[in-house]
Amino acid sequence: MIFSRKRAGSGRHARDERAAESRVGPDTDESTASAPARGPYDISEVSDDVQRLDLGSLHIPAVPGVEVRVQADPQGVVQQVVLVHGENALQLGVFAAPRSDGIWDEVRDEIRQSLFNDGAAAQEVSGEYGTELRARVRTPDGITDLRFIGVDGPRWMVRGVYQGVAAVDPAAAGPLAECLDGLVVDRGQEAKPVREPLPLRLPKEVAAQHQAQAAAQDADGSAEA
């Protein structure tokens, strides 16, 4: 894992279909029957022994060849999570949602409008997780393709943004898609406003190392001044 210091249909419909795929018969255990065939999963749906990086609200499975890049503030609060494999990247975010309805449809409309306001056209396409949004935007590094996916879960929504070849060819996502399929969300029981980002944090041992590095950098800066 690499971290950096930060200075001073709908997804629900697709998820319901995946849940139905996991029901194998009348003797299936109820908890197993309600779990989707693949993730992102709610923490209540998981009982496997897969090794995952615990970032608080997101637990990211360890997949060979995938680098987890985390940007955090000096207190260890995670601001951004990006998974990288070769030339492809997947940025992840997780947000609070209502108990009854998914929010990906509304969020997707807002993303499309925001892209339009910035002069970028976006197109809705059908994908494995329901309706996706694809766009081509201008960045300081040139034209970049983006693919936005959303998955509505119980009181949460995961948003993913693919970059690289995986943004235009889902089959190229490979290990990044495997990470998404094994992702676990720990929503917690605390009431939160709809669409508020769920808290992400560095693991304790990494947070301690991060804070020590931040303190050392501050000390060096004070000494130079």
Side-chain angles (χ1 to χ4, degrees):
M1 182 180 73
I2 293 179
F3 60 85
S4 60
R5 182 182 179 191
K6 183 177 177 65
R7 298 184 180 273
S10 69
R12 177 169 294 275
H13 177 68
R15 182 178 178 84
D16 291 343
E17 288 181 347
R18 289 184 286 126
E21 290 171 0
S22 68
R23 300 187 178 96
V24 296
D27 297 329
T28 303
D29 179 78
E30 182 179 351
S31 62
T32 302
S34 62
R38 68 176 189 270
Y41 301 101
D42 187 76
I43 195 167
S44 64
E45 301 169 334
V46 177
S47 60
D48 58 37
D49 57 356
V50 174
Q51 182 182 358
R52 293 181 173 89
L53 175 66
D54 183 353
L55 295 178
S57 295
L58 286 180
H59 297 192
I60 302 172
V63 175
V66 174
E67 178 185 340
V68 182
R69 297 182 180 177
V70 176
Q71 185 182 71
D73 66 16
Q75 287 69 48
V77 177
V78 173
Q79 308 294 325
Q80 181 173 273
V81 179
V82 180
L83 311 184
V84 179
H85 180 262
E87 298 299 318
N88 292 318
L90 172 62
Q91 181 178 349
L92 294 173
V94 61
F95 306 87
R99 184 180 301 275
S100 56
D101 298 317
I103 60 174
W104 172 235
D105 287 344
E106 296 177 7
V107 170
R108 189 176 66 251
D109 287 342
E110 293 177 1
I111 294 173
R112 184 175 59 238
Q113 185 60 51
S114 176
L115 290 167
F116 177 80
N117 292 341
D118 291 338
Q123 178 184 12
E124 289 190 344
V125 298
S126 179
E128 288 186 322
Y129 288 93
T131 305
E132 302 177 348
L133 198 63
R134 298 187 186 181
R136 177 166 288 185
V137 301
R138 292 185 180 276
T139 71
D141 297 325
I143 300 298
T144 300
D145 288 300
L146 302 175
R147 177 163 63 97
F148 298 83
I149 63 100
V151 181
D152 288 306
R155 300 176 66 213
W156 52 259
M157 183 203 75
V158 167
R159 183 195 65 202
V161 186
Y162 279 104
Q163 298 182 49
V165 178
V168 294
D169 180 10
L176 295 181
E178 186 178 345
C179 287
L180 187 62
D181 286 348
L183 193 68
V184 172
V185 178
D186 185 355
R187 164 64 173 78
Q189 300 303 315
E190 183 180 351
K192 294 184 179 297
V194 173
R195 303 191 192 187
E196 178 177 299
L198 297 182
L200 298 171
R201 53 167 173 70
L202 294 172
K204 290 183 179 180
E205 62 277 9
V206 179
Q209 178 186 4
H210 181 56
Q211 291 174 358
Q213 291 177 349
Q217 290 176 2
D218 291 340
D220 290 343
S222 299
E224 292 176 358

